[in-house]
Amino acid sequence: MKNKAITSKNVDFAKWYTDVVMASHLASYSNVKGCIAIEPNGYAIWEKMQSILDKKFKNTGHSNVYMPVLIPENLLNKEGELVNGFAPEVAWVTKGGEKELEERMCIRPTSETLFSDYYSNVVKSYRDLPKKYNQWCNVLRWEKETRPFLRSREFLWQEGHTVHETKEEAEQETKQMLDIYLDFFKNYLAIPAIVGRKTEKEKFAGAEYTLTIEALMYNGVALQSGTSHYFGQKFSKAYDIKFVDRENKQQYAYQTSWGVTTRMIGALIMVHSDDNGLVLPPKIAPCQVSIIPIGKDEEIINYAKEIQNTLDKNEISNKIDSSEKSPGFKFAEAEVNGIPIRIELGKRDLENHQITLVRRDTREKITISSNDNIVEKIQELLEDIQNNLYNRALKRRNEMTYTATTLKEMDEIITNHPGFIKAMWCGCVECENKIKEIKGIKSRCIPFKEEQEHISDVCVCCGKPAKKMVIWGIQY
Amino acid sequence: MKNKAITSKNVDFAKWYTDVVMASHLASYSNVKGCIAIEPNGYAIWEKMQSILDKKFKNTGHSNVYMPVLIPENLLNKEGELVNGFAPEVAWVTKGGEKELEERMCIRPTSETLFSDYYSNVVKSYRDLPKKYNQWCNVLRWEKETRPFLRSREFLWQEGHTVHETKEEAEQETKQMLDIYLDFFKNYLAIPAIVGRKTEKEKFAGAEYTLTIEALMYNGVALQSGTSHYFGQKFSKAYDIKFVDRENKQQYAYQTSWGVTTRMIGALIMVHSDDNGLVLPPKIAPCQVSIIPIGKDEEIINYAKEIQNTLDKNEISNKIDSSEKSPGFKFAEAEVNGIPIRIELGKRDLENHQITLVRRDTREKITISSNDNIVEKIQELLEDIQNNLYNRALKRRNEMTYTATTLKEMDEIITNHPGFIKAMWCGCVECENKIKEIKGIKSRCIPFKEEQEHISDVCVCCGKPAKKMVIWGIQY
């Protein structure tokens, strides 16, 4: 049996995606073009992501702050590359109250500008360093084509902005934050992401270099899922962030920034979910167990409450669905909402001293005795679901990762069975541009040393000597 | 000894206020006019407020969501009173990317518009009700005069928006949320607030009525600190939020909204703090205990860590200040930052088997034996500080609450020793306007039945029969 509100993912992947978003009530379209209303089910996932990441940020010495949402044009203009990168896609406020503004301001597309301006005021000495700040906020980019969570004009994110005394420390920070993202993807989102450095062409406007985390969606399209930028002294020179160093000399500071967004919710859908709706890894699911009493028998209701108490005590998030709806309807709802385990509690279960568990990932029914240690069984099952989702995604990603030594091979792969393509590259942007002509293939990242492979001696495009393997793919 | 960076509050209260904000690093001015940068110390208080309130909201059945930051003009225009109330103070986006917009949009000053538009799409039947949603977000109002936290163009808040089947349920919700705010003020912020209904003149644009929570600042000026609005069917008629009721008839839904803001941080300063900086009630303090080792003796550092472990286990938030600064500097810093208790750990303390505690509210030094149960002592002390701050504020508020039966009396009170003034009112706006001529006195609220007092038979202004006592005052 299949959820009728959802198009099959193998029939029309794009339609399947929005069907899942709507059917599982993650978000709905709003009357503000290109913006969505994030509904309780979607926002609860975001809150869970926030709470996990926020702890990791604080444990590594970061503090949260809040900078203004508006950026005056003159401030934005101070760093040339950033302006050129973002000016075409910002929203401009030109009127405040009933008066035309003397200087227009844009709604932040990202906050390097305001953080740098702030740091230029508060950083005076090496004793003030490092400053490691983060903010959780909304940003706005005037996108033309939008899709819920993947690309929308307004989105929610966190943006970390740090200032350091030395190049080494700033570079370490850049890498550390990428590692935190990678760990989060692997151990919470159950997504086997790849990481590496962006090419010059694909890096963030204004960065010395950009590290990226990239995930492969079910349909073989890549999703840039988070970035960590090393700025060197570019912004500190543009915004005059100077400090007196240990030798009593004036120095420009070294900076980084890094961020992940509500786009990760889109990744969860496109990596794990199926034709019956959302599938959530237990460690990111706002509700891990749905307890569904069948019928209104007092004994059953009491048993449901007893189970709830036990789960609560063991910090397994859960809810009892005691609404007026039919059991079948409740089962389907728990399923479409991606709740990892549902417990079906009927009269027969009670009589036979058993409990029926249904796992969302495989839809398998498991009957356990009510004499079993329920908590232990459920904890094991949650862990098994978490691992299964990761392993399934890893297997798929590996199967969909190809190597190519010619442009023709790249074309064939992307046309017939898109995925990640490993191919050697000479390092010049002309080849990158030429490769892009093949259905928009872009370099996803240059893997770090330890992940580099030697696929051939020469660039897949120009045939000149190549030293680096690059991972390529089409993207959202 | 007094903190030199802070003007005395009895010398220049306004200057004292901003000095405290800056000296305790709650926020700093930004280069965006009328907007502040909320720094780690300030944002941590906001996070603490969020976590406490968010739990209370969720425990009463509310879910968090996120609506767009932009409101198209035609949507804003649907409810006439709301538009008139807010149109003069919104920021308008007129350009997106490189194109003039066909229809301008404003940055949300509040989100009744977008919630109502959303509800009109998703509410179809009484089975869909109630919907009790809340969002934590930024809003923008183009204020002319601004002050950190108290009034700034952009501020952070939560806005709850609910839809109900019946008038009774919506009115209950309106009152319930006010009660949650009142409890939060009393038991966490240690602020004895007053509550009641706003007059027609002072209510929120578009509401049937507004309930308010008002606090009295140290200088006798009132601060409107939170509001809860009952909308009846005003918005549901304007935005067409209709549902099929239990009798199968079409009905308009009943709505509420309610919110509190980062302004509460301003209230904490102006109610509790002193010439040495911030004073925070322990229940809202992000860090409750600062452990300051004097000197670098290994024994002392180890003892500090031991104490930290014990406090951590008992969920008493704390930090060790092991920076390079001098002990005196560290003491002053813990003080200016409002940390409720600091522990001074010196060699002599160690030798005498004692620990020195200093409470922030009274600055009193307390020596306890290291054989005492430290956790118990500190817990008691935290509770005592919390109670002392509340009682001190209550006493002051009572002393600064006056009664008046003539306009002359009102004038004398406000001129010589401002505070809350209880006076009878006939209910007509002409009298309210006339009273406002006295140095801007406004009605703060009409207390609920159980708090009504009979001060005289007639209106303080026109002398006609009066039934209600109103609390009046000047405001921020």
Side-chain angles (χ1 to χ4, degrees), chain A residues 28 30-32 37-40 43 47 58 64-66 68-70 88 90-97 101 104 108 117-118 133 138 142 154 156, chain B residues 28 30-32 37-40 43 47 58 64-70 88 90-97 101 104 108 117-118 133 138 142 154 156:
Chain A
S28 67
S30 78
N31 277 319
V32 187
I38 305 181
E39 297 180 289
Y43 201 82
E47 286 181 306
K58 284 179 178 154
N64 286 333
V65 299
Y66 188 78
V69 66
L70 294 179
V90 296
W92 290 104
V93 173
T94 58
K95 209 173 160 181
L101 300 187
R104 63 183 187 166
R108 62 179 162 225
D117 188 48
Y118 169 77
Y133 293 169
N138 56 339
W142 213 255
E154 185 187 14
L156 304 181
Chain B
S28 67
S30 77
N31 276 318
V32 187
I38 305 182
E39 297 180 287
Y43 201 82
E47 286 182 306
K58 284 179 177 153
N64 286 333
V65 299
Y66 188 78
M67 297 289 156
V69 66
L70 294 178
V90 296
W92 290 105
V93 173
T94 59
K95 210 173 161 181
L101 300 187
R104 63 181 187 167
R108 64 181 159 222
D117 189 48
Y118 170 78
Y133 293 169
N138 56 338
W142 212 257
E154 184 187 14
L156 304 180

Coordinates of all heavy atoms in Angstrom, one line a residue, chain A residues 28 30-32 37-40 43 47 58 64-66 68-70 88 90-97 101 104 108 117-118 133 138 142 154 156, chain B residues 28 30-32 37-40 43 47 58 64-70 88 90-97 101 104 108 117-118 133 138 142 154 156:
Chain A
S28 N 4.6 24.9 3.9 CA 3.6 25.1 2.8 C 4.0 26.4 2.1 O 4.7 27.2 2.6 CB 2.2 25.1 3.4 OG 2.0 26.3 4.2
S30 N 3.8 30.0 0.7 CA 3.1 31.2 1.3 C 2.7 32.1 0.2 O 3.1 31.9 -1.0 CB 4.1 31.9 2.2 OG 5.0 32.7 1.5
N31 N 2.0 33.2 0.5 CA 1.7 34.2 -0.5 C 2.8 35.2 -0.7 O 2.6 36.3 -1.3 CB 0.4 34.9 -0.2 CG -0.8 34.0 -0.6 OD1 -0.8 33.5 -1.7 ND2 -1.8 33.9 0.2
V32 N 4.0 34.9 -0.2 CA 5.1 35.8 -0.4 C 6.0 35.0 -1.4 O 6.6 33.9 -1.0 CB 5.9 36.0 0.9 CG1 7.0 37.0 0.7 CG2 5.0 36.5 2.0
A37 N 6.3 28.9 4.4 CA 5.9 28.9 5.8 C 6.4 27.6 6.4 O 5.9 26.5 5.9 CB 4.4 29.0 6.0
I38 N 7.3 27.6 7.3 CA 7.8 26.3 7.9 C 6.8 25.9 9.0 O 6.6 26.7 9.9 CB 9.2 26.5 8.5 CG1 10.1 27.0 7.4 CG2 9.7 25.1 9.0 CD1 11.6 27.1 7.8
E39 N 6.2 24.8 8.8 CA 5.1 24.3 9.7 C 5.7 23.5 10.9 O 6.9 23.2 10.9 CB 4.1 23.5 8.9 CG 3.4 24.3 7.9 CD 2.4 23.5 7.0 OE1 2.8 22.6 6.2 OE2 1.2 23.7 7.2
P40 N 4.9 23.2 11.9 CA 5.5 22.6 13.1 C 6.3 21.4 12.9 O 7.4 21.3 13.4 CB 4.2 22.2 13.9 CG 3.2 23.3 13.6 CD 3.5 23.5 12.1
Y43 N 9.6 22.7 11.4 CA 10.4 23.5 12.4 C 11.0 22.7 13.5 O 12.0 23.0 14.0 CB 9.5 24.7 12.9 CG 10.4 25.8 13.4 CD1 10.9 26.7 12.6 CD2 10.7 25.9 14.8 CE1 11.7 27.7 13.0 CE2 11.5 26.9 15.3 CZ 12.1 27.8 14.4 OH 12.9 28.8 14.8
E47 N 14.7 22.7 15.0 CA 15.0 22.9 16.4 C 16.0 21.8 16.9 O 16.9 22.1 17.6 CB 13.8 23.0 17.2 CG 13.0 24.2 17.1 CD 11.7 24.3 18.0 OE1 10.9 23.3 17.9 OE2 11.6 25.2 18.7
K58 N 29.2 25.5 21.1 CA 29.5 26.0 22.5 C 30.7 25.2 23.1 O 31.6 25.7 23.7 CB 28.3 26.0 23.3 CG 27.4 27.2 23.0 CD 26.2 27.3 23.8 CE 25.4 28.6 23.3 NZ 24.0 28.5 23.5
N64 N 27.0 32.7 21.0 CA 26.0 33.3 20.1 C 25.8 34.8 20.3 O 25.9 35.3 21.5 CB 24.6 32.6 20.3 CG 24.6 31.2 19.7 OD1 25.4 30.9 18.8 ND2 23.8 30.3 20.3
V65 N 25.6 35.5 19.2 CA 25.3 36.9 19.3 C 24.2 37.2 18.2 O 23.7 36.3 17.6 CB 26.6 37.7 18.8 CG1 27.7 37.4 19.8 CG2 27.0 37.4 17.4
Y66 N 23.9 38.5 18.1 CA 22.9 38.9 17.1 C 23.3 40.2 16.5 O 23.3 41.2 17.2 CB 21.5 38.9 17.6 CG 20.5 39.1 16.5 CD1 20.1 38.0 15.7 CD2 20.0 40.3 16.3 CE1 19.3 38.2 14.6 CE2 19.1 40.5 15.2 CZ 18.8 39.4 14.4 OH 17.9 39.6 13.3
P68 N 22.5 43.2 13.3 CA 21.3 43.7 12.6 C 21.0 43.0 11.3 O 21.9 42.5 10.6 CB 21.6 45.2 12.3 CG 22.6 45.5 13.4 CD 23.4 44.3 13.6
V69 N 19.7 43.0 10.9 CA 19.3 42.4 9.7 C 19.5 43.3 8.4 O 19.6 42.8 7.3 CB 17.8 42.0 9.8 CG1 16.9 43.3 9.8 CG2 17.3 41.1 8.6
L70 N 19.8 44.6 8.7 CA 20.0 45.5 7.5 C 21.4 45.9 7.4 O 22.1 46.1 8.4 CB 19.1 46.7 7.7 CG 17.6 46.5 7.7 CD1 16.9 47.9 7.9 CD2 17.2 46.0 6.4
P88 N 23.7 41.3 -7.0 CA 22.6 41.0 -7.9 C 21.5 40.3 -7.2 O 20.4 40.1 -7.8 CB 23.2 40.1 -9.0 CG 24.7 40.3 -8.8 CD 24.9 40.6 -7.4
V90 N 20.3 40.7 -3.7 CA 19.8 41.2 -2.4 C 18.5 42.0 -2.6 O 18.2 42.5 -3.7 CB 20.8 42.1 -1.7 CG1 22.0 41.3 -1.3 CG2 21.2 43.3 -2.4
A91 N 17.7 42.1 -1.5 CA 16.5 42.9 -1.4 C 16.9 44.2 -0.8 O 17.6 44.3 0.2 CB 15.5 42.2 -0.6
W92 N 16.4 45.3 -1.5 CA 16.8 46.7 -1.0 C 15.7 47.4 -0.3 O 14.6 47.5 -0.8 CB 17.3 47.5 -2.2 CG 18.6 47.1 -2.7 CD1 18.8 46.5 -3.9 CD2 19.9 47.3 -2.2 NE1 20.2 46.2 -4.1 CE2 20.9 46.8 -3.0 CE3 20.4 48.0 -1.0 CZ2 22.2 46.8 -2.8 CZ3 21.7 48.0 -0.7 CH2 22.6 47.4 -1.6
V93 N 16.0 47.9 0.9 CA 15.0 48.7 1.6 C 15.4 50.2 1.2 O 16.5 50.6 1.4 CB 15.2 48.6 3.1 CG1 14.3 49.6 3.9 CG2 14.8 47.1 3.6
T94 N 14.4 50.9 0.7 CA 14.6 52.2 0.2 C 13.8 53.2 1.0 O 14.0 54.4 0.8 CB 14.3 52.4 -1.3 OG1 12.9 52.0 -1.5 CG2 15.2 51.5 -2.1
K95 N 12.8 52.7 1.8 CA 11.9 53.6 2.5 C 11.7 53.1 3.9 O 11.5 51.9 4.1 CB 10.6 53.6 1.7 CG 9.8 54.9 1.8 CD 8.6 55.0 1.0 CE 7.7 56.1 1.5 NZ 6.5 56.2 0.8
G96 N 11.9 54.0 4.9 CA 11.6 53.7 6.3 C 10.6 54.6 6.8 O 10.7 55.8 6.8
G97 N 9.5 54.0 7.4 CA 8.4 54.8 7.8 C 7.8 55.5 6.5 O 7.6 54.9 5.5
L101 N 14.9 56.8 2.2 CA 16.1 56.7 3.0 C 17.2 57.5 2.2 O 17.2 57.5 1.0 CB 16.6 55.3 3.2 CG 15.7 54.4 3.9 CD1 16.4 53.0 4.2 CD2 15.3 55.0 5.3
R104 N 20.3 53.6 0.9 CA 19.5 52.4 0.9 C 20.3 51.3 1.7 O 21.5 51.4 1.9 CB 19.1 51.9 -0.5 CG 20.3 51.5 -1.4 CD 19.8 51.1 -2.8 NE 20.9 50.6 -3.5 CZ 20.8 49.9 -4.7 NH1 19.6 49.7 -5.2 NH2 21.9 49.5 -5.3
R108 N 20.3 41.4 5.0 CA 21.5 40.5 4.9 C 21.3 39.3 4.1 O 20.4 38.5 4.3 CB 21.9 40.1 6.3 CG 20.9 39.3 7.0 CD 21.3 38.8 8.4 NE 20.1 38.4 9.1 CZ 19.8 38.7 10.3 NH1 20.5 39.4 11.1 NH2 18.6 38.3 10.8
D117 N 32.5 44.8 10.6 CA 32.4 46.1 11.1 C 32.4 46.1 12.6 O 33.1 46.9 13.3 CB 31.1 46.7 10.6 CG 30.9 48.2 10.9 OD1 31.9 48.9 10.7 OD2 29.9 48.6 11.5
Y118 N 31.7 45.2 13.2 CA 31.7 45.0 14.7 C 33.1 44.7 15.2 O 33.6 45.3 16.2 CB 30.7 43.9 15.1 CG 30.8 43.5 16.5 CD1 30.2 44.3 17.5 CD2 31.5 42.4 16.9 CE1 30.3 43.9 18.9 CE2 31.6 42.0 18.3 CZ 31.0 42.8 19.2 OH 31.1 42.4 20.5
Y133 N 32.3 33.9 17.3 CA 30.8 34.2 17.5 C 30.0 33.5 16.4 O 30.5 33.2 15.3 CB 30.6 35.7 17.4 CG 31.1 36.5 18.6 CD1 31.2 37.9 18.6 CD2 31.6 35.8 19.7 CE1 31.7 38.6 19.6 CE2 32.1 36.6 20.8 CZ 32.2 37.9 20.7 OH 32.7 38.7 21.8
N138 N 17.7 34.6 10.1 CA 17.2 34.5 8.7 C 18.0 35.3 7.8 O 18.6 36.3 8.2 CB 15.7 35.0 8.7 CG 15.6 36.4 9.3 OD1 16.5 36.9 10.0 ND2 14.5 37.1 8.9
W142 N 17.6 37.0 -3.4 CA 16.6 37.1 -4.3 C 16.7 36.1 -5.5 O 16.9 36.4 -6.6 CB 16.5 38.5 -4.9 CG 15.1 39.0 -5.2 CD1 14.6 39.0 -6.5 CD2 14.1 39.4 -4.3 NE1 13.3 39.4 -6.4 CE2 13.0 39.6 -5.0 CE3 14.1 39.5 -2.9 CZ2 11.8 40.0 -4.4 CZ3 12.9 39.9 -2.3 CH2 11.8 40.1 -3.1
E154 N 14.0 33.5 1.3 CA 14.4 33.6 2.7 C 14.8 32.2 3.2 O 14.0 31.2 2.9 CB 13.3 34.2 3.6 CG 13.8 34.4 5.0 CD 12.6 34.9 5.9 OE1 11.4 34.7 5.5 OE2 12.9 35.3 7.0
L156 N 16.6 30.0 6.9 CA 17.2 30.1 8.2 C 18.5 29.4 8.2 O 18.7 28.4 7.5 CB 16.2 29.4 9.3 CG 14.8 30.0 9.3 CD1 14.0 29.3 10.4 CD2 14.8 31.5 9.6
Chain B
S28 N 26.3 46.5 21.8 CA 27.0 47.7 21.5 C 26.3 48.3 20.3 O 25.5 47.7 19.6 CB 28.5 47.4 21.2 OG 28.6 46.6 20.0
S30 N 25.6 49.7 16.7 CA 26.1 49.2 15.4 C 26.1 50.4 14.4 O 25.6 51.5 14.8 CB 25.2 48.1 14.8 OG 24.1 48.7 14.3
N31 N 26.7 50.2 13.3 CA 26.7 51.3 12.3 C 25.4 51.2 11.5 O 25.3 51.9 10.4 CB 27.9 51.2 11.3 CG 29.1 51.8 12.0 OD1 29.0 52.9 12.6 ND2 30.3 51.2 11.9
V32 N 24.4 50.5 11.9 CA 23.1 50.5 11.3 C 22.2 51.3 12.3 O 21.9 50.9 13.4 CB 22.5 49.1 11.2 CG1 21.2 49.1 10.4 CG2 23.5 48.2 10.5
A37 N 24.1 45.7 18.2 CA 24.7 44.3 18.1 C 24.5 43.7 19.4 O 25.1 44.2 20.4 CB 26.1 44.4 17.6
I38 N 23.8 42.6 19.5 CA 23.7 42.0 20.8 C 24.9 41.1 21.0 O 25.1 40.1 20.3 CB 22.3 41.1 20.9 CG1 21.1 42.1 20.6 CG2 22.2 40.6 22.4 CD1 19.8 41.4 20.7
E39 N 25.6 41.3 22.1 CA 26.9 40.6 22.3 C 26.6 39.4 23.2 O 25.5 39.2 23.7 CB 27.9 41.6 23.0 CG 28.2 42.8 22.1 CD 29.2 43.7 22.7 OE1 28.8 44.5 23.6 OE2 30.4 43.7 22.3
P40 N 27.7 38.5 23.3 CA 27.5 37.2 24.0 C 26.8 37.3 25.4 O 25.8 36.6 25.6 CB 28.9 36.7 24.2 CG 29.6 37.2 22.9 CD 29.0 38.6 22.7
Y43 N 23.1 38.1 24.6 CA 22.4 37.1 23.9 C 22.2 35.9 24.8 O 21.2 35.2 24.7 CB 23.1 36.7 22.6 CG 22.2 36.0 21.7 CD1 21.4 36.8 20.9 CD2 22.1 34.6 21.6 CE1 20.4 36.2 20.0 CE2 21.2 34.0 20.8 CZ 20.4 34.8 20.0 OH 19.5 34.2 19.1
E47 N 18.8 33.8 25.4 CA 18.7 32.4 25.2 C 18.0 31.7 26.5 O 17.2 30.8 26.4 CB 20.1 31.7 25.0 CG 20.6 32.0 23.6 CD 21.9 31.3 23.3 OE1 22.9 31.6 24.1 OE2 22.0 30.6 22.3
K58 N 5.3 25.2 25.1 CA 5.1 23.8 24.6 C 4.3 23.0 25.6 O 3.4 22.2 25.2 CB 6.5 23.1 24.3 CG 7.1 23.7 23.0 CD 8.4 23.1 22.6 CE 8.8 23.7 21.3 NZ 10.3 23.7 21.1
N64 N 6.2 25.6 17.5 CA 6.9 26.7 16.8 C 6.8 26.5 15.3 O 6.9 25.4 14.8 CB 8.4 26.7 17.3 CG 8.5 27.3 18.7 OD1 7.6 28.1 19.1 ND2 9.5 26.9 19.4
V65 N 6.8 27.6 14.6 CA 6.7 27.6 13.2 C 7.6 28.8 12.7 O 8.1 29.5 13.6 CB 5.3 27.8 12.6 CG1 4.4 26.6 13.1 CG2 4.7 29.1 13.1
Y66 N 7.7 29.0 11.4 CA 8.4 30.2 10.9 C 7.7 30.7 9.6 O 7.6 30.0 8.6 CB 9.8 29.9 10.6 CG 10.6 31.2 10.3 CD1 11.0 32.0 11.3 CD2 10.8 31.5 9.0 CE1 11.6 33.2 11.0 CE2 11.5 32.7 8.7 CZ 11.8 33.6 9.7 OH 12.4 34.8 9.4
M67 N 7.3 32.0 9.7 CA 6.6 32.6 8.6 C 7.6 33.6 7.9 O 8.5 34.1 8.6 CB 5.4 33.4 9.1 CG 4.3 32.6 9.7 SD 3.4 31.6 8.4 CE 2.8 30.3 9.5
P68 N 7.4 34.0 6.7 CA 8.3 34.9 6.0 C 8.5 36.2 6.7 O 7.6 36.7 7.4 CB 7.7 35.0 4.6 CG 6.8 33.8 4.4 CD 6.3 33.5 5.8
V69 N 9.7 36.8 6.4 CA 10.0 38.1 7.0 C 9.4 39.3 6.2 O 9.2 40.4 6.7 CB 11.5 38.3 7.1 CG1 12.2 38.4 5.7 CG2 11.9 39.5 7.9
L70 N 9.0 39.0 5.0 CA 8.4 40.1 4.1 C 6.9 39.9 4.0 O 6.4 38.8 3.9 CB 9.0 40.0 2.7 CG 10.5 40.3 2.7 CD1 11.0 40.2 1.2 CD2 10.9 41.7 3.2
P88 N 3.0 53.7 9.2 CA 4.0 54.8 9.4 C 5.3 54.3 9.9 O 6.3 55.1 9.9 CB 3.3 55.8 10.4 CG 1.9 55.3 10.5 CD 1.8 53.9 10.2
V90 N 7.0 51.1 9.1 CA 7.6 49.9 8.6 C 8.7 50.3 7.6 O 8.7 51.4 7.1 CB 6.6 49.0 7.9 CG1 5.6 48.4 8.9 CG2 5.9 49.7 6.7
A91 N 9.6 49.3 7.3 CA 10.6 49.5 6.3 C 10.1 48.8 5.0 O 9.7 47.7 5.1 CB 11.9 48.9 6.8
W92 N 10.3 49.5 3.9 CA 9.8 49.0 2.6 C 10.9 48.5 1.7 O 11.8 49.2 1.4 CB 9.0 50.1 1.9 CG 7.7 50.4 2.5 CD1 7.4 51.5 3.3 CD2 6.5 49.6 2.5 NE1 6.1 51.5 3.7 CE2 5.5 50.3 3.3 CE3 6.1 48.4 2.0 CZ2 4.2 49.8 3.5 CZ3 4.8 47.9 2.2 CH2 3.9 48.6 2.9
V93 N 10.7 47.3 1.2 CA 11.6 46.7 0.2 C 11.0 47.1 -1.1 O 9.8 46.7 -1.4 CB 11.7 45.2 0.4 CG1 12.5 44.7 -0.8 CG2 12.4 44.9 1.7
T94 N 11.7 47.8 -1.9 CA 11.1 48.2 -3.2 C 11.9 47.6 -4.4 O 11.5 47.7 -5.5 CB 11.1 49.7 -3.4 OG1 12.5 50.1 -3.3 CG2 10.3 50.4 -2.3
K95 N 13.0 47.0 -4.1 CA 13.9 46.4 -5.2 C 14.4 45.1 -4.8 O 14.9 44.9 -3.6 CB 15.1 47.4 -5.4 CG 15.6 47.4 -6.8 CD 16.6 48.5 -7.0 CE 17.4 48.1 -8.3 NZ 18.4 49.0 -8.6
G96 N 14.3 44.1 -5.6 CA 14.8 42.8 -5.4 C 15.8 42.4 -6.5 O 15.4 42.4 -7.6
G97 N 17.0 42.1 -6.1 CA 18.0 41.8 -7.1 C 18.2 43.2 -7.8 O 18.4 44.2 -7.2
L101 N 10.4 46.1 -7.7 CA 9.3 45.2 -7.5 C 8.0 45.8 -8.0 O 7.8 47.0 -8.0 CB 9.2 44.9 -6.0 CG 10.4 44.3 -5.3 CD1 10.0 44.0 -3.8 CD2 10.9 43.1 -6.0
R104 N 5.5 46.5 -3.6 CA 6.5 46.6 -2.6 C 6.1 45.7 -1.4 O 4.9 45.3 -1.3 CB 6.7 48.1 -2.1 CG 5.5 48.7 -1.5 CD 5.8 50.2 -1.2 NE 4.6 50.7 -0.5 CZ 4.7 51.9 0.2 NH1 5.8 52.6 0.3 NH2 3.6 52.3 0.8
R108 N 8.4 42.5 8.3 CA 7.3 42.4 9.3 C 7.6 43.3 10.6 O 8.7 43.2 11.2 CB 7.2 40.9 9.8 CG 8.5 40.4 10.5 CD 8.4 39.0 10.9 NE 9.8 38.5 11.1 CZ 10.3 37.4 10.7 NH1 9.5 36.5 10.1 NH2 11.5 37.1 10.9
D117 N -3.1 34.8 6.9 CA -3.1 34.3 5.5 C -2.9 32.8 5.5 O -3.6 32.1 4.8 CB -2.0 35.1 4.7 CG -2.1 34.8 3.3 OD1 -3.3 34.9 2.7 OD2 -1.1 34.4 2.7
Y118 N -1.9 32.4 6.3 CA -1.6 30.9 6.4 C -2.9 30.2 7.0 O -3.3 29.2 6.4 CB -0.4 30.7 7.3 CG -0.2 29.3 7.7 CD1 0.4 28.4 6.8 CD2 -0.6 28.8 9.0 CE1 0.6 27.1 7.1 CE2 -0.4 27.5 9.3 CZ 0.2 26.6 8.4 OH 0.4 25.3 8.7
Y133 N 0.2 28.3 17.4 CA 1.6 28.4 16.9 C 2.3 29.6 17.5 O 1.7 30.6 17.8 CB 1.5 28.5 15.3 CG 1.1 27.3 14.6 CD1 0.8 27.3 13.3 CD2 0.9 26.1 15.3 CE1 0.4 26.1 12.6 CE2 0.5 24.9 14.7 CZ 0.2 25.0 13.3 OH -0.2 23.8 12.7
N138 N 12.9 38.0 14.4 CA 13.2 39.4 14.4 C 12.1 40.2 13.8 O 11.5 39.7 12.9 CB 14.6 39.7 13.7 CG 14.5 39.2 12.2 OD1 13.7 38.3 11.9 ND2 15.4 39.7 11.4
W142 N 10.2 51.3 12.3 CA 11.1 52.4 12.1 C 11.0 53.5 13.1 O 10.5 54.6 12.9 CB 10.8 52.9 10.7 CG 12.0 53.5 10.0 CD1 12.3 54.8 9.9 CD2 13.1 52.8 9.5 NE1 13.5 55.0 9.3 CE2 14.0 53.7 9.0 CE3 13.4 51.4 9.3 CZ2 15.2 53.3 8.4 CZ3 14.5 51.0 8.7 CH2 15.4 52.0 8.2
E154 N 15.2 47.3 15.1 CA 15.0 45.8 15.0 C 15.1 45.3 16.4 O 15.9 45.7 17.2 CB 16.1 45.2 14.2 CG 15.9 43.7 14.0 CD 17.1 43.0 13.3 OE1 18.2 43.6 13.2 OE2 17.0 41.9 12.9
L156 N 14.3 41.4 18.8 CA 13.9 39.9 18.8 C 12.7 39.7 19.7 O 12.6 40.4 20.7 CB 15.1 39.1 19.2 CG 16.4 39.3 18.4 CD1 17.5 38.4 19.0 CD2 16.2 39.0 17.0

